[in-house]
Amino acid sequence: MIKYFQKRFVMSRKGAKDLTGGIFASVLMGITTGIPVGMLYMLMQQLMNPDNRFGALDWRVYVVSAVVMGFAIFWAYYLQYNNTYVPVYNESAERRISLAERLRKLPLSFFGRKNMSDVTNIILQDATDLEITFSHAVPQLFGAFIILVLAAIGLSFISWQMMLSMFWVAPAILLLIIISKKFQNRIFAKIMNVKLAMNEKIQEGMEQIQEIKAYSCEQRYIDELSESIHAYEKVQLQDELKVGILNQLIAAVIKLGLLTLIIVGSIRVAQGTETITDFILFLVLTPVIYGPILALTEHFSTLFHLDARLNRMKRINNEPLQHGIENPKYNGLSICFDKVDFTYNEGNAAVLHDVSFTANEGEVTALVGPSGGGKSTTAKLAARFWDVNKGKITLGGVDISTVDPETLLKNFSIVFQDVVLFNASVMENIRIGRKDATDEEVMHIARLAQCDEFVNKLPEGYQTLIGENGSTLSGGERQRISIARALLKDAPIILLDEATASLDAENETKIQLAISELVRGKTVIVIAHRMRTIINVDHIVVLKGGRVEEQGAPAELFDQNGHYTRMVRTQTKI
């Protein structure tokens, strides 16, 4: 049962055990709620027929029993709360963490295929809805079913005729739920598509607000956003309407069950085949037994969507991870591309074709060429952000596809064009490069990266919060923090993708000097469009159309009068 719950509901082993405990507590609560009705039945039997099988009336027994039942009911409710709500909230936190851990280990190709709004929705909205479902509906649903079966078996010993007249509605309710679930699954898929479109439109507005304002597209954006919101509202209303109709149908069917019980019970009492106390027992137990089912109708919408939400999480859990050894034995730290082909998504055009070159240890290798030539892709492949489709990439003679990605990345310091900063202090953003770095070490690196000048002008210096993704800083300032972070890591391999692209000439020169000192003796791959920044590199690889057009030392390439020569002459106007 534990393994079934783990697989069925995407739970940890502890979560599955807690769900079993929650179901048991729900059943116990249902039983303790029904016991007072049984006590009432015994009292009525003794009052109306002193010679009945329960013996003579003793009020002390009932007083003591009432007190005991009160404590039992309180204990059952307490047990149900502590075995349902509290564990579910803990499991919800565990589910979010495990999803985040899974996402952390997935290859970047997953994020290229997957819509980010969808991934965010799974972690936030789906996890929240599952939290509500498992705290308010799933254990109670299992508990209500078990109580229903136990009550049917127990009452059949008193009067199987009245039991059937009371419980015939259970299969009818089940049939209604099964039929409705098919419709609900269809509309939920529609809801998710419309919701994702709305979320994407909102995210687009936040990310592209400058462009929207610059080109006077405000009204057009608002109209498109309003349209997507109205579409989402429409499908939500359809969903609520269908669930509302189902709830009313279930309530009506249960009332039909009560009606048939009244008719059958009245006839049998009139015929003398049933006692009035037995008839009253059935009448009183009907709302007690069916009450939990009526209460669950408030959560039918989340129950119907349970499988869809779980399947979305299962799809993430079923995504293949990038695995590898954690203790590779490198023979040096040269990076070698050997006839590498790469495509971002299956079926799309290849980005790299038969790329071969070596970035030697202790040397600076520059990747140059026109935009779209595959330079940034090549650098990212070196760090195993993706796995190649053909050929191989080795680090120190070890195929990087056999190395655990996190183990591999310990050897890399990376600065890409798209800087990512956190809503934290300048100090903490730089310290990401090396968590155990002291404040003095951070500030020393910051000075080398030319951060000190603008940081000292901030309200709280290095302790100033810089906003989401460094929103309070300029592009050049953000880039310098990113460079400082990479330099602080002081890894033996450095990847620089247009690291100084956002800087003015003066600061670019200063940072180039700092980088020159810090990359000495390391394996460096630098991507650049400004030819003057790579004059002193050891090796140049010219990438054009995803292929290696030419490669060699700067002087050697310049003498060949090829693409590199044309780039240099164009920029220097020789």
Side-chain angles (χ1 to χ4, degrees):
M1 180 64 75
I2 300 298
K3 290 183 178 179
Y4 169 77
F5 283 157
Q6 279 185 271
K7 184 176 180 180
R8 175 71 178 80
F9 298 126
V10 196
M11 286 182 161
S12 64
R13 182 170 180 81
K14 184 177 185 306
K17 287 183 177 180
D18 289 335
L19 176 59
T20 305
I23 293 171
F24 170 77
S26 295
V27 172
L28 186 64
M29 189 178 70
I31 292 173
T32 56
T33 304
I35 288 178
V37 178
M39 298 294 295
L40 178 63
Y41 173 67
M42 293 171 56
L43 177 61
M44 291 178 61
Q45 288 277 27
Q46 290 182 323
L47 288 174
M48 300 181 69
N49 183 12
D51 299 326
N52 72 90
R53 61 183 180 276
F54 296 114
L57 177 65
D58 187 347
W59 287 103
R60 290 172 298 179
V61 172
Y62 285 98
V63 171
V64 173
S65 297
V67 174
V68 172
M69 281 302 99
F71 280 108
I73 292 172
F74 173 80
W75 177 75
Y77 272 87
Y78 176 81
L79 189 67
Q80 197 261 354
Y81 183 88
N82 280 278
N83 282 273
T84 301
Y85 297 100
V86 175
V88 164
Y89 299 146
N90 292 333
E91 178 65 18
S92 181
E94 180 65 28
R95 181 180 283 112
R96 285 188 172 95
I97 292 171
S98 64
L99 277 172
E101 280 293 298
R102 186 82 186 183
L103 290 171
R104 183 174 65 86
K105 296 179 180 180
L106 287 175
L108 288 183
S109 57
F110 167 81
F111 300 96
R113 300 191 314 268
K114 199 74 173 176
N115 186 300
M116 285 301 98
S117 296
D118 190 26
V119 175
T120 303
N121 194 74
I122 291 172
I123 296 178
L124 297 179
Q125 188 61 51
D126 285 356
T128 299
D129 289 340
L130 288 177
E131 181 180 295
I132 296 171
T133 304
F134 280 98
S135 61
H136 292 78
V138 173
Q140 292 84 340
L141 180 64
F142 278 101
F145 175 76
I146 294 172
I147 289 294
L148 201 66
V149 173
L150 293 176
I153 294 172
L155 291 175
S156 65
F157 288 100
I158 299 175
S159 172
W160 65 267
Q161 295 90 345
M162 285 198 294
M163 184 275 293
L164 288 178
S165 68
M166 173 183 174
F167 283 99
W168 72 267
V169 300
I173 292 172
L174 182 61
L175 182 62
L176 279 173
I177 293 173
I178 292 174
I179 294 173
S180 178
K181 190 174 186 298
K182 293 181 179 179
F183 291 105
Q184 287 294 325
N185 287 339
R186 290 197 205 107
I187 197 170
F188 180 71
K190 187 176 181 181
I191 287 173
M192 290 310 302
N193 290 333
V194 175
K195 183 177 182 180
L196 287 176
M198 181 186 69
N199 289 342
E200 286 176 11
K201 183 58 66 175
I202 293 172
Q203 185 173 339
E204 177 186 280
M206 292 188 292
E207 292 179 351
Q208 308 299 331
I209 185 64
Q210 293 184 27
E211 285 74 13
I212 291 173
K213 286 182 173 293
Y215 293 98
S216 302
C217 296
E218 293 93 339
Q219 190 56 51
R220 177 183 173 185
Y221 172 75
I222 291 296
D223 291 342
E224 292 176 353
L225 179 59
S226 297
E227 185 178 344
S228 63
I229 291 174
H230 288 318
Y232 179 59
E233 181 183 14
K234 182 179 179 181
V235 294
Q236 280 283 70
L237 287 173
Q238 290 175 0
D239 182 50
E240 292 293 335
L241 179 62
K242 289 182 178 180
V243 173
I245 291 173
L246 175 65
N247 292 350
Q248 294 306 312
L249 282 174
I250 290 176
V253 170
I254 289 177
K255 290 177 181 177
L256 282 177
L258 181 59
L259 178 61
T260 55
L261 172 64
I262 291 173
I263 293 173
V264 172
S266 298
I267 293 173
R268 292 184 62 79
V269 169
Q271 292 174 344
T273 54
E274 299 288 355
T275 65
I276 187 67
T277 51
D278 289 346
F279 183 36
I280 292 174
L281 173 67
F282 275 81
L283 289 176
V284 174
L285 278 178
T286 299
V288 174
I289 293 171
Y290 283 108
I293 296 177
L294 283 173
L296 282 173
T297 58
E298 298 179 9
H299 302 285
F300 271 169
S301 179
T302 55
L303 280 169
F304 287 145
H305 302 159
L306 177 62
D307 283 340
R309 299 187 189 283
L310 290 173
N311 288 337
R312 283 152 58 81
M313 292 188 175
K314 288 177 181 178
R315 282 195 290 271
I316 291 181
N317 287 334
N318 292 334
E319 285 284 339
L321 299 178
Q322 285 182 313
H323 296 288
I325 56 177
E326 297 184 0
N327 55 345
K329 304 298 182 182
Y330 302 117
N331 181 20
L333 290 171
S334 294
I335 299 172
C336 179
F337 280 66
D338 184 13
K339 297 181 179 179
V340 169
D341 284 7
F342 176 71
T343 302
Y344 280 108
N345 294 309
E346 188 176 348
N348 292 355
V351 179
L352 299 180
H353 314 264
D354 197 31
V355 172
S356 296
F357 70 89
T358 299
N360 290 313
E361 181 179 8
E363 294 184 358
V364 178
T365 300
L367 305 180
V368 302
S371 297
K375 301 184 296 297
S376 294
T377 300
T378 300
K380 291 175 181 177
L381 287 174
R384 204 190 171 191
F385 281 15
W386 294 273
D387 285 325
V388 301
N389 302 114
K390 185 180 177 182
K392 66 177 180 179
I393 304 171
T394 60
L395 173 62
V398 179
D399 188 341
I400 64 171
S401 66
T402 66
V403 181
D404 176 73
E406 293 187 5
T407 300
L408 180 69
L409 283 171
K410 290 178 182 178
N411 298 297
F412 287 81
S413 286
I414 305 173
V415 178
F416 288 132
Q417 284 177 300
D418 299 325
V419 179
V420 176
L421 301 178
F422 297 91
N423 185 20
S425 67
V426 174
M427 180 74 71
E428 292 307 313
N429 267 282
I430 297 176
R431 189 177 273 128
I432 288 173
R434 182 157 54 86
K435 281 296 183 180
D436 60 349
T438 64
D439 289 355
E440 290 73 20
E441 288 174 321
V442 170
M443 288 187 285
H444 172 68
I445 289 294
R447 283 191 291 271
L448 291 176
Q450 306 300 311
C451 295
D452 207 45
E453 177 186 352
F454 73 84
V455 172
N456 288 332
K457 296 177 182 179
L458 296 175
E460 297 178 46
Y462 283 92
Q463 302 305 322
T464 303
L465 298 179
I466 60 176
E468 184 177 353
N469 203 22
S471 59
T472 61
L473 304 178
S474 70
E477 290 167 347
R478 294 170 65 248
Q479 189 75 290
R480 278 180 269 181
I481 289 179
S482 179
I483 292 170
R485 177 192 294 171
L487 297 179
L488 180 65
K489 186 177 181 181
D490 196 26
I493 303 171
I494 298 178
L495 302 181
L496 300 170
D497 186 352
E498 293 291 350
T500 60
S502 299
L503 302 177
D504 56 70
E506 182 181 353
N507 279 317
E508 180 186 3
T509 302
K510 293 178 180 178
I511 292 179
Q512 287 292 350
L513 292 172
I515 291 176
S516 298
E517 290 298 320
L518 291 168
V519 301
R520 185 170 295 172
K522 298 179 180 178
T523 304
V524 182
I525 295 179
V526 57
I527 299 170
H529 287 109
R530 300 175 182 176
M531 296 301 100
R532 61 186 175 84
T533 63
I534 57 169
I535 294 174
N536 297 318
V537 303
D538 300 289
H539 190 74
I540 292 177
V541 178
V542 180
L543 287 168
K544 183 179 179 182
R547 299 179 184 275
V548 177
E549 184 84 359
E550 53 191 19
Q551 59 176 308
E556 176 187 337
L557 285 188
F558 190 79
D559 291 339
Q560 291 179 9
N561 201 30
H563 189 83
Y564 171 72
T565 308
R566 290 193 296 273
M567 291 179 66
V568 173
R569 286 176 175 168
T570 298
Q571 293 190 20
T572 58
K573 299 188 183 298
I574 293 176

